[in-house]
Amino acid sequence: MTRPLLRLAALGAATLALAGCGSLDRLANVGAQPDLSAIQDPTAQPGYKPVRMPMPTPQPVSYAANSLWRTGSRGFFKDQRAQQVGDIVTVNVKVTDKANLDNETKRSRSNGENFGATNLFGAETKLTKVLPGASASALVDASSTSNSDGSGSITRKEELTTNVAAVVTQILPNGNLVVEGKQEIRVNFEVRELIVAGIIRPEDIQADNTVDSSKIAEARIAYGGRGQITDVQQPRYGQQVMDIILPF
């Protein structure tokens, strides 16, 4: 067996083994509701990396003499908005995307070339001897035609409105807050997941400790689900494997 076939066989065996483990887990949960994920520390998850962004030079905190006001403070009284690691801020997720694109391109080209030598120092009379049936008045006749017509249309409309509480996981040197929140809702045999992460400015947090998702920098918003409905909407793992490895 050649090396490519051995690699393909090994890939197929590994895929079937992994799929078999997943199938056993699914068979064990037949008739049961999907379990919710345990509450976990986002910073302790595998692959978590603190966010690094360009930062200005830190400004030292100073107090004015005979004054209760601290330089850089956002309010004279205690601020109930999120400002420290572990604080909670509510993110108002409102995503309304609408796109309608319609493009059409047409191209047409036609070329023709004719060449003949009716009189060529008397040599035209010998042309029929060299090329029987040839005519000196039409030695070369070439033509070409090219047509291209392309059109494309994209119509997209997405809308998502919900709220999710996020936890401050990091404070950047310039005071911006890194937040991450996850929400799971189980309805019958389907779990809906909402994940929000990104960077917010303390100034964008409203008095009721909420912030709009449109003001989140490097926003990562994911909305999906898992369960019986999601399962039947996905192609079988064998079909997914064949879609990857088949070249046609």
Side-chain angles (χ1 to χ4, degrees):
M1 184 179 293
T2 61
R3 182 174 297 179
L5 292 178
L6 289 175
R7 292 179 178 177
L8 183 60
L11 178 61
T15 303
L16 291 176
L18 293 175
C21 295
S23 299
L24 292 177
D25 294 338
R26 289 165 57 187
L27 289 174
N29 295 324
V30 170
Q33 296 178 342
D35 296 331
L36 297 178
S37 301
I39 299 177
Q40 300 175 347
D41 182 3
T43 61
Q45 298 304 310
Y48 173 81
K49 295 182 180 180
V51 177
R52 291 187 177 183
M53 301 291 289
M55 295 291 119
T57 303
Q59 299 295 329
V61 178
S62 61
Y63 295 88
N66 301 325
S67 176
L68 298 177
W69 185 264
R70 177 174 59 87
T71 303
S73 179
R74 294 178 294 173
F76 185 79
F77 299 99
K78 184 178 180 181
D79 194 350
Q80 300 296 332
R81 295 175 293 181
Q83 55 184 345
Q84 297 181 356
V85 174
D87 289 350
I88 296 176
V89 58
T90 301
V91 180
N92 296 328
V93 180
K94 186 176 182 180
V95 179
T96 304
D97 292 339
K98 184 178 181 180
N100 191 356
L101 305 177
D102 191 0
N103 299 322
E104 184 174 359
T105 302
K106 291 184 178 181
R107 183 173 64 104
S108 178
R109 182 178 63 183
S110 179
N111 298 323
E113 297 292 339
N114 295 314
F115 172 73
T118 305
N119 297 309
L120 186 61
F121 303 103
E124 70 278 358
T125 58
K126 301 180 180 180
L127 181 62
T128 55
K129 297 180 180 179
V130 180
L131 299 174
S135 175
S137 60
L139 294 179
V140 177
D141 188 358
S143 63
S144 64
T145 302
S146 177
N147 294 300
S148 177
D149 187 357
S151 61
S153 179
I154 298 177
T155 301
R156 185 184 67 186
K157 184 177 181 180
E158 300 172 350
E159 184 174 354
L160 174 62
T161 303
T162 185
N163 299 326
V164 60
V167 179
V168 178
T169 59
Q170 185 182 352
I171 301 178
L172 300 180
N174 66 343
N176 288 343
L177 309 178
V178 180
V179 298
E180 182 173 347
K182 182 178 181 181
Q183 182 184 84
E184 294 186 0
I185 301 176
R186 184 175 64 193
V187 180
N188 295 332
F189 293 90
E190 186 74 11
V191 173
R192 288 299 175 185
E193 299 175 334
L194 175 62
I195 300 175
V196 175
I199 304 173
I200 62 175
R201 299 191 311 164
E203 294 81 2
D204 292 332
I205 302 178
Q206 304 297 322
D208 58 351
N209 198 35
T210 61
V211 62
D212 293 335
S213 60
S214 60
K215 297 182 179 180
I216 299 180
E218 297 296 326
R220 302 294 185 268
I221 301 175
Y223 182 75
R226 52 187 171 88
Q228 293 183 356
I229 297 178
T230 303
D231 185 60
V232 298
Q233 291 178 341
Q234 298 294 327
R236 300 292 86 193
Y237 60 84
Q239 181 179 351
Q240 297 181 25
V241 172
M242 297 305 293
D243 290 340
I244 295 174
I245 64 177
L246 288 179
F248 49 83

